[in-house]
Every structure is written in structure tokens, then in C-alpha cells.
Amino acid sequence: MGPKTTKVYEALRARLCAGKYAPGDRFPSERTLTEELGIGRTALRQVLARLVAEGLLEVRGRSSYRVPGAVSVQQPEGVEPWRIYGERNVYDNRWVKLQLWDVEPPGVERFEHHVVKLHHVAVTAVIDDQDRVLMMWRYRFVPKQFGWELPGGIVDEGEDPSDTALRETVEETGWRPKSLEHVVTYQPMVGMVDSPHEIFVGQGAERVGDPSDLEEAGHIEWIPLADVPGLMARGELMGSGTLVALLHILATRPGRSATASR
């Protein structure tokens, strides 16, 4: 994108990130934006396509855009939470804590439930201008298999997860993302394990050196997004953070929302 187009992109992105539009709102039409911003229709469509690729807009029909996030399902009322009477440690070290919690689900007798406490984690999917994602080919000894993973790691105490995402990407791959956007926080095994996972998507990256974390690095490659479904089918995408991030990207790519809405 040229300087004028980049300026328009940054202005529209700032509006969306500032919450000027509510989830589900219709975005101004192409005609309105071209007149307001003094930009040609072709250049504007480049900007809108990039915003769609970043998940900040959804395509709804031809040349129609909406802010994602609107839902029609309401949270149920009258459903009671479990009661927690106490917890005790069974095992505790710097990597994992195993506990027994005294719990009582609604209408069920009290019992002790195992809870595993793991670290807070940040995972990053970096996309380049050729629709490729930065990944590592690694061997994981627990499942005894090789597979592709996104860079990621433990959020240090007091560290912002976005700083972790940037740091781990550089340490593990030698590439520094040009931008980072937080897309979701989730729990990978919510019934027993407490380990918040923060998912980030980066746009573009610059090579800043060799990986400094040789244990984590393995083989590093830019993988075409078009290969992701096939790699998933072959069982070569390891880790829930990798799957969640890549599925988010595929679901928000240009043209995906328009297809799904028909």
C-alpha cells in the first residue's frame, strides 16, 4: 500500500480499535468512505480487505461490511454455579500444581475434584503479505510425534501477555512481528486444568537474527495458509493454541464471512 492508502488504513483501524462501532454495526459504505477520506474505490478495497483479514471487519454481501462480534444467543438465567468449600495442594512445583477441591454441583452431593494449575501462556500466529504463517516443526516427546506449532510461551509474573507474544516469537524464530492483535483468551481443558491461553495474530515480520531459544526452535518455515486444512487432516498441527489461532484466521479471511452468510 502507498502512503495515502496506509494512512487511510491506519485511520479506519484506529476507529475500529477505539470501539467507535458496536459489535454488529454496519460499517460505512464504500461510497461514503471514498468521499469522506478522498481515496479511490480500488485503494479503499485494499484497505477493507486487510481489515477483514485482521478480523476487524466481516464481509456481508457485495461491498457490505459489518463489525464482528454480534450474537443473538442470550445468557441463560437461573443456572446456579458450583459451590467451592475449599482446596488443598497435593503436589506443587514451579511448573505444575495439583490440587483437590471440595465442590458441590447443584443437586449433587459434595465431592473432591482434581484441579491442575499450569502457567499463563501466550501464542502468536504471524501472517505475511503472501498469506503464509510462521511456524516451527518440532518433536514433542509426550505424544511421541513431530508436528507444526506456532511460537508461544509462558507469561512471566508481571509481564503483559502481548510482550510475551512478541518476546517468544523473536526468541523461538528470529522474526519480530510488525504488529500484534489479541483475538481471544481461552482455557484448553476447562473441566480440570487452569491454564489461560492468550492468542495473538501478527501482520508482517522482520528478520532480526537467529533464534536464541535453541531448545524450542526446531525447523522454522513460512507455511501457506492454504495448507492448514491439509496439515490438520494429517494430524500435524499440535497444540490447542496453534489450532485456535489458525482456525480464527481461516474463519476471518476475506470472502469467508460472505460465503457463510449465504
Side-chain angles (χ1 to χ4, degrees):
M1 292 191 296
K4 172 67 174 178
T5 308
T6 300
K7 186 176 180 179
V8 170
Y9 159 76
E10 292 174 348
L12 293 181
R13 193 179 195 282
R15 292 185 193 179
L16 291 163
C17 292
K20 182 174 180 180
Y21 305 97
D25 278 357
R26 175 176 289 183
F27 204 59
S29 68
E30 290 184 358
R31 180 177 179 178
T32 299
L33 291 172
T34 55
E35 293 175 355
E36 175 192 349
L37 302 170
I39 187 173
R41 186 69 63 93
T42 300
L44 176 64
R45 286 177 175 171
Q46 290 180 339
V47 171
L48 295 173
R50 183 169 177 181
L51 294 171
V52 170
E54 294 175 3
L56 295 174
L57 285 178
E58 292 180 344
V59 182
R60 295 292 180 90
R62 183 175 177 83
S63 303
S64 178
Y65 301 86
R66 287 185 183 274
V67 179
V71 294
S72 60
V73 178
Q74 301 298 316
Q75 295 184 356
E77 297 181 356
V79 181
E80 298 181 7
W82 289 24
R83 291 186 178 181
I84 302 172
Y85 294 97
E87 58 189 60
R88 60 186 175 91
N89 290 343
V90 177
Y91 176 80
D92 186 8
N93 72 8
R94 60 177 296 204
W95 300 107
V96 60
K97 178 186 292 186
L98 174 62
Q99 299 179 315
L100 279 172
W101 287 26
D102 182 3
V103 299
E104 182 182 15
V108 179
E109 292 185 2
R110 287 169 60 173
F111 64 93
E112 285 194 317
H113 194 296
H114 284 89
V115 174
V116 179
K117 296 265 191 177
L118 301 179
H119 285 285
H120 189 184
V121 173
V123 178
T124 307
V126 183
I127 309 299
D128 69 4
D129 58 5
Q130 300 179 55
D131 263 358
R132 301 179 303 176
V133 60
L134 183 62
M135 301 194 74
M136 304 176 296
W137 178 255
R138 299 189 57 193
Y139 181 76
R140 290 295 191 179
F141 72 91
V142 175
K144 299 184 178 68
Q145 74 176 81
F146 283 96
W148 295 102
E149 292 184 27
L150 297 173
I154 295 170
V155 179
D156 292 337
E157 186 175 356
E159 185 178 33
D160 189 281
S162 63
D163 293 333
T164 306
L166 179 64
R167 171 176 56 79
E168 290 288 343
T169 301
V170 173
E171 290 177 358
E172 295 183 358
T173 70
W175 289 84
R176 180 186 298 275
K178 294 181 179 179
S179 67
L180 282 178
E181 177 192 2
H182 180 266
V183 296
V184 69
T185 302
Y186 78 99
Q187 292 274 8
M189 295 181 63
V190 71
M192 185 178 290
V193 178
D194 179 18
S195 176
H197 279 45
E198 312 277 0
I199 303 299
F200 292 84
V201 174
Q203 298 293 330
E206 60 177 339
R207 179 81 177 186
V208 295
D210 294 325
S212 60
D213 193 338
L214 298 180
E215 178 187 351
E216 300 285 347
H219 171 77
I220 300 163
E221 190 168 336
W222 288 93
I223 303 293
L225 286 173
D227 287 354
V228 168
L231 294 175
M232 189 183 305
R234 289 196 330 213
E236 292 183 5
L237 298 182
M238 295 202 298
S240 62
T242 292
L243 286 166
V244 169
L246 293 178
L247 288 172
H248 167 82
I249 291 169
L250 292 180
T252 56
R253 292 179 74 193
R256 174 63 181 85
S257 295
T259 301
S261 65
R262 287 199 290 268

